[in-house]
Amino acid sequence: MRILVVNVNTTRSVTDAIGAQAAEAAGPGTEIVPLTPAFGAESVEGNYESYLAAVAVMETVRAHPGPYDAVIQAGYGEHGREGLQELLDVPVVDITEAAASTARFLGRRYSVVTTLDRTVPLIEERLDVAGLSARCASVRATGLPVLDLERDPRAAADAITEQALRAVADDRAEVICLGCGGMAGLAGQVAERTGVPVVDGVSAAVTIAESLVRLGLTTSKVRTYAPPRPKRLANWPPRTA
Amino acid sequence: MRILVVNVNTTRSVTDAIGAQAAEAAGPGTEIVPLTPAFGAESVEGNYESYLAAVAVMETVRAHPGPYDAVIQAGYGEHGREGLQELLDVPVVDITEAAASTARFLGRRYSVVTTLDRTVPLIEERLDVAGLSARCASVRATGLPVLDLERDPRAAADAITEQALRAVADDRAEVICLGCGGMAGLAGQVAERTGVPVVDGVSAAVTIAESLVRLGLTTSKVRTYAPPRPKRLANWPPRTA
Amino acid sequence: MRILVVNVNTTRSVTDAIGAQAAEAAGPGTEIVPLTPAFGAESVEGNYESYLAAVAVMETVRAHPGPYDAVIQAGYGEHGREGLQELLDVPVVDITEAAASTARFLGRRYSVVTTLDRTVPLIEERLDVAGLSARCASVRATGLPVLDLERDPRAAADAITEQALRAVADDRAEVICLGCGGMAGLAGQVAERTGVPVVDGVSAAVTIAESLVRLGLTTSKVRTYAPPRPKRLANWPPRTA
Amino acid sequence: MRILVVNVNTTRSVTDAIGAQAAEAAGPGTEIVPLTPAFGAESVEGNYESYLAAVAVMETVRAHPGPYDAVIQAGYGEHGREGLQELLDVPVVDITEAAASTARFLGRRYSVVTTLDRTVPLIEERLDVAGLSARCASVRATGLPVLDLERDPRAAADAITEQALRAVADDRAEVICLGCGGMAGLAGQVAERTGVPVVDGVSAAVTIAESLVRLGLTTSKVRTYAPPRPKRLANWPPRTA
Amino acid sequence: MRILVVNVNTTRSVTDAIGAQAAEAAGPGTEIVPLTPAFGAESVEGNYESYLAAVAVMETVRAHPGPYDAVIQAGYGEHGREGLQELLDVPVVDITEAAASTARFLGRRYSVVTTLDRTVPLIEERLDVAGLSARCASVRATGLPVLDLERDPRAAADAITEQALRAVADDRAEVICLGCGGMAGLAGQVAERTGVPVVDGVSAAVTIAESLVRLGLTTSKVRTYAPPRPKRLANWPPRTA
Amino acid sequence: MRILVVNVNTTRSVTDAIGAQAAEAAGPGTEIVPLTPAFGAESVEGNYESYLAAVAVMETVRAHPGPYDAVIQAGYGEHGREGLQELLDVPVVDITEAAASTARFLGRRYSVVTTLDRTVPLIEERLDVAGLSARCASVRATGLPVLDLERDPRAAADAITEQALRAVADDRAEVICLGCGGMAGLAGQVAERTGVPVVDGVSAAVTIAESLVRLGLTTSKVRTYAPPRPKRLANWPPRTA
């Protein structure tokens, strides 16, 4: 099967890292196709950029010639998954939800460790909307911007580990979710240093997408995710998409 | 003071109706500036179109030369208000929230009567995210598409009244919110025929925006709605915006 | 229009301060009529006094010859607003709810800073009953009794600022509500010293009452706030009311 | 031990019925002292009357010379219990809470069957404030005013049974609470005709009050229910109390 | 009347202490019959042991020749009460629920102080399932294993008092529940040292069971707690039960 | 990899059907080992039987010589998963949670269609405890006992389809979960007849267990699911286990 894994920012090195992580998690016979949006911000750290990413991911997938069997939106706490589900017949998996959903099988409460403090509310709201916040102990910020993660992975691992340990001790978390697509590759280290399971959202999303495809299950079209009604779109999509 | 009232769809007659409703609600000395987005769908009735509207509204406001004192996003149940709050220093009011917030002062529980069944979940989720769902008795659909509302206002009033009466009798609502920007002008009739207060979101939003401006209050910038960090945006905004 | 602003305690200097704050917030053409209850406690800091204030405010308004267009109950976290809504045809606005409702438009989470620790539960319960607690980050006490606020406004501002800063840093509040009618006049200072929007409930209530009157909206009478049924009241009201 | 059982309305025949019910439930050695408030409404069916009842009950108990070991507030869904707890050192039990708390031991979900539709929100809010609504399946109204209950007990039993049966079938209730102090004496009939346990609040309250006294437990005074601070009350209490 | 009080572990000295506590709380004419399960763990401190205790308690009660009027399950936070309610016609009271239900009458929020940190989630989940968590401020662990409680009661009282004081100061608790059947006998000391009411679950359960019996109330059999359908059980019960 | 799939009842034909369903869902290289408990009820339809199943499943797995890589508990709405997680180092997946977790990726709300009305509360409570009820629209009963499902699969499919259609129309479900291990094999038919995705819990659990094993993730041992402390068990396990 072929799975599109779509980055939410326009930084190709982040797309590459996400793609590599996805490929590592993929089963035999699964082809991972990493995609970078045709427009948007170099990193997504707030609502304006996140809404922009939502439409950029949608247009990027719409512009892809296919065929493909599933789509993964590889941004943590970002908007847009519901729109993709309307547009597509194949399963759509968001890494925020994939990580939380997987963490729930591993412990009673999980925490998310993310980048900047300002992205915490976005993640909290996406977990609420997804119906996955009941077992969320906390969303914690390292204070590191997205693009610093790949500049200094060692510092990133240190900062994530520090917040993860606090989540376990103070917030009663039993599992940690890495709260940024750009944290791909760090789960192993953090798990070793904290002694609790650490879930990478991209990896989790790959196995969930594969499972849905294998079971022949895809998005329900009876109400919320029915295809858009035929209508005129003015000046859209832009040429770049 | 000057208030921008931004439609979420690209149909100018809807913008006109919203603008007229806003002007009627405005106090002396308030100038209403109705805006139509430069791109997007002719009507917004689902997640794909709603996300597109979110960014279209944001780019439309960004492209406006100003000055202005407040901005109203005139789509019911649509995405994007959080992004506008990041971008602007002046107060931002969404009509979904304005209506619900006003209804709460008028009765113990309110219901929203909207257009298509598929938009019900969007409204429910926006009310949840806004922290305004505790007193929401129900969100009910008339089954009428947005653009049919202005084609046949009499049928629209009938359909809205029917659902409003059911909301009062079956869902224990005591107040009704008109759940679509395109329902501007119908509140009076529905109130008369149901015997309960009916809140028009555009009107409510105008008085709230005026009040915030008068009190010298605007969006907090300490965390969630801090301005976007300076960063490169690829291929954005599109020429049309 | 004419708006009655009713203090909940029997201390006239507090009534005066509330009236002055209301007048400052009022638009042109609005007349503010401050009222002191005919019976009750000199300050309201607990359930017994709050229930007494509820009936005192109701009898005070009932005894007022009128006419008036709206009524504001100017006690933070006090009982009684539901009863006023039953008795009156004009809009009724409680300052606890006005402040919270206004704060919600300014940031994702708000905190209330109030007087004594013992009043915290009353405020929490009133926000719950009003359906406004979803975005409440915390209710914090300064430890100052109500009547000390006007004796030493500088100390009051210091104590409120201290708790407000903690609410922003520790409870993730983005907006502060001044949680006592007797804090009228302090919002500006606290806003300046904390860097976040500070909402004064009396001012917020005035703009909301004016808005409801302007929009022609008033309390729904179909169920919860229907007028009391005709019946015999024994030994009531007392002569003093 | 001696327990004051305070009616919330001023109708003596209701006080008598409540007193008789309490005496029937009381253990050997318990003396029941029924009290009628010195002021207030002949029946309590809404917020205005309920707030008035709250202060009337408080003043009635304050005026009682004592001694007594516990106090029961015998109105369903009425305000005021928190104030009594501040004023008294002995345990205070509200029949709304006593019934719900007892029902919880008898089945997974309970419903309340009460008098008029307009009292439903009062009961719902009191159960919420008391932290007892999680297992409440519904609050249902018979449509009978309080004072009709004693005029035609047979019709009352019929109407209560009808709503109780619907609660079991439609709302998945497994236990019924009689939602009015004036329904004293009807539990047996309704239980027989519905086949589910029926809880009379007055009886439940008597056993709870006796238990608290026997265990030497009374209201915590560390925060919410600390005694009122010493302060001047203007024109209060009225002569009649 | 005769009440079975069933320990959840197989340590007879704990059964004796529970029995003594129950007898002390019992009214005149109540006979307490303490029972030790025929199989299971010497102390219950986790899910495996708690599930085992659930079935052990059920088989122990089933094997008892009777007659008896009520059954108390004397383990804090343990599974199984629902099964007992299916099996029996007489009232069943769990001490976790009895303590929380009683605490709710004494203050606005209560905390539970228990043994090991690992039992905290069990207690939290049982309170949730019982619909009693709305007023739970916290569940705190002393770090003491169950069997250490009786080895060194003085150290136990110290550790419980320390956590109780923190619950009052930091978690805003106003009442403390002793969160282990093995804490029988310590309530008086902790109450004296903390100044807040302290509820012993066994004592509370005895008075509730007595009250239900006196009022002629028992478990509803219409749905959740209907008797098990007749069916074949393989290899069950074991010989030892 | 090898996955134990443990039936919760002692009927071997049900174990066989579950095993076949699991094998069909399993990927290449996965060996499914179906197990029947050594003791317990022929079908599990209530709390007593469910608690018994919990310990029977645990003892059955403990008695299995291994090795194995994951364990699936194949009963819908049954107790015990938390205990298995304490006992084992490998991932444990409950089919109730697997189905709900998978359904959440396919639509906004899901309903469960189960056997008898009396099992509805068990399923509701297990979903609550698992933190998966936020998107549950309803749990509906067909009225068919477990063992009738395999006796007349056509009637079973009819009854499930009827309730599924009602869930979609009346409860706004968009996805259906088959709420009984004994419904293995019916998902395809129900999906075809309802037009919405239908999730079989056993199949979902197999893919989740495989995914966790592939990702190297297993149960967190830091708190709730730490291994039982070493202690004496009296008369346990029984000979038959």
Side-chain angles (χ1 to χ4, degrees), chain A residues 10-11 38-49 51-55 58-59 62 78-83 86-87 116-118 121-122 125-126 129 145-147 222-240, chain B residues 10-11 38-49 51-55 58-59 62 78-83 86-87 116-118 121-122 125-126 129 145-147 222-240:
Chain A
T10 55
T11 300
F39 58 93
E42 61 185 323
S43 66
V44 178
E45 296 163 332
N47 278 288
Y48 170 68
E49 293 156 9
Y51 277 120
L52 187 48
V55 298
M58 286 188 252
E59 296 309 329
R62 269 158 67 99
E78 309 314 345
H79 291 286
R81 182 261 305 155
E82 307 94 320
E86 284 180 9
L87 295 171
L116 300 179
D117 185 48
R118 66 178 297 159
L122 280 108
E125 288 184 2
R126 292 305 295 178
V129 164
V146 172
L147 297 183
V222 293
R223 182 171 294 116
T224 309
Y225 306 122
R229 302 175 71 221
K231 62 182 67 167
R232 271 176 309 159
L233 299 187
N235 299 318
W236 195 259
R239 298 251 174 91
T240 53
Chain B
T10 55
T11 300
F39 57 93
E42 62 186 322
S43 67
V44 178
E45 297 164 331
N47 278 287
Y48 170 68
E49 293 156 9
Y51 278 120
L52 187 48
V55 299
M58 286 188 252
E59 298 308 330
R62 268 158 66 100
E78 308 314 346
H79 291 287
R81 182 260 305 154
E82 306 95 319
E86 283 180 10
L87 294 172
L116 301 179
D117 185 49
R118 65 178 297 159
L122 279 108
E125 289 185 1
R126 291 306 294 178
V129 163
V146 172
L147 297 183
V222 294
R223 183 171 293 116
T224 308
Y225 306 124
R229 301 174 72 218
K231 60 183 66 169
R232 272 176 308 163
L233 299 186
N235 298 318
W236 194 259
R239 298 252 173 93
T240 54

Side-chain angles (χ1 to χ4, degrees), chain E residues 10-11 38-49 51-55 58-59 62 78-83 86-87 116-118 121-122 125-126 129 145-147 222-240, chain F residues 10-11 38-49 51-55 58-59 62 78-83 86-87 116-118 121-122 125-126 129 145-147 222-240:
Chain E
T10 54
T11 300
F39 57 93
E42 62 185 321
S43 66
V44 178
E45 297 165 329
N47 278 287
Y48 170 67
E49 292 156 11
Y51 277 120
L52 187 49
V55 299
M58 285 188 252
E59 297 310 329
R62 270 158 65 100
E78 308 314 347
H79 292 286
R81 181 263 304 155
E82 307 95 321
E86 285 179 9
L87 294 171
L116 300 179
D117 186 50
R118 67 178 297 160
L122 280 107
E125 289 185 1
R126 291 306 293 178
V129 163
V146 172
L147 298 183
V222 292
R223 184 172 292 116
T224 309
Y225 307 122
R229 303 175 70 220
K231 61 182 67 167
R232 271 175 308 159
L233 299 187
N235 298 318
W236 194 259
R239 299 252 173 92
T240 54
Chain F
T10 54
T11 301
F39 57 93
E42 62 186 320
S43 66
V44 178
E45 297 164 330
N47 278 288
Y48 170 67
E49 293 156 10
Y51 277 121
L52 187 49
V55 299
M58 287 188 252
E59 298 308 330
R62 269 158 66 99
E78 307 315 346
H79 291 287
R81 182 262 303 155
E82 306 94 321
E86 283 179 9
L87 295 172
L116 299 179
D117 186 49
R118 65 179 296 161
L122 280 108
E125 289 186 0
R126 291 307 293 178
V129 163
V146 173
L147 297 184
V222 294
R223 183 171 293 115
T224 308
Y225 306 123
R229 302 174 73 219
K231 62 183 64 168
R232 269 175 311 161
L233 300 186
N235 299 318
W236 194 260
R239 297 256 173 89
T240 53

Side-chain angles (χ1 to χ4, degrees), chain D:
Chain D
M1 77 181 77
R2 181 186 294 154
I3 300 177
L4 307 189
V5 180
V6 196
N7 186 8
V8 294
N9 65 43
T10 54
T11 301
R12 267 167 217 286
S13 57
V14 173
T15 307
D16 292 347
I18 289 169
Q21 179 76 47
E24 196 181 313
T30 297
E31 178 192 357
I32 298 294
V33 179
L35 293 179
T36 305
F39 57 93
E42 63 186 320
S43 66
V44 179
E45 296 164 330
N47 278 287
Y48 170 68
E49 293 155 10
S50 181
Y51 278 119
L52 187 49
V55 299
V57 167
M58 286 188 252
E59 297 309 329
T60 301
V61 173
R62 268 157 67 99
H64 191 274
Y68 47 84
D69 299 287
V71 173
I72 291 171
Q73 177 164 326
Y76 215 94
E78 308 315 345
H79 291 287
R81 183 261 303 155
E82 307 94 319
L84 273 178
Q85 286 187 292
E86 284 180 10
L87 295 171
L88 305 179
D89 287 328
V90 300
V92 174
V93 179
D94 175 275
I95 67 168
T96 324
E97 302 173 21
S101 188
T102 299
R104 215 200 48 72
F105 286 102
L106 303 172
R108 186 162 172 268
R109 289 154 61 93
Y110 68 91
S111 284
V112 178
V113 178
T114 186
T115 55
L116 300 179
D117 186 49
R118 66 179 297 160
T119 67
V120 170
L122 280 109
I123 294 173
E124 290 175 345
E125 289 185 2
R126 291 306 295 177
L127 291 171
D128 265 352
V129 163
L132 286 167
S133 57
R135 290 295 169 215
C136 180
S138 59
V139 181
R140 284 178 164 269
T142 56
L144 295 178
V146 172
L147 297 183
D148 283 13
L149 296 174
E150 57 178 356
R151 271 181 217 127
D152 190 348
R154 183 192 297 249
D158 287 351
I160 295 167
T161 300
E162 185 193 339
Q163 293 300 320
L165 289 170
R166 286 199 201 168
V168 172
D170 298 349
D171 309 333
R172 304 181 65 80
E174 305 184 2
V175 183
I176 298 297
C177 294
L178 296 185
C180 176
M183 291 176 180
L186 299 176
Q189 293 178 57
V190 180
E192 201 170 307
R193 290 164 67 180
T194 58
V196 299
V198 175
V199 181
D200 171 77
V202 172
S203 306
V206 168
T207 65
I208 291 168
E210 288 178 330
S211 297
L212 296 177
V213 172
R214 175 138 50 96
L215 296 175
L217 292 168
T218 190
T219 304
S220 178
K221 292 290 175 176
V222 293
R223 182 171 293 116
T224 308
Y225 306 123
R229 301 175 72 221
K231 62 182 65 167
R232 271 176 309 161
L233 300 186
N235 299 317
W236 194 259
R239 299 249 175 92
T240 53

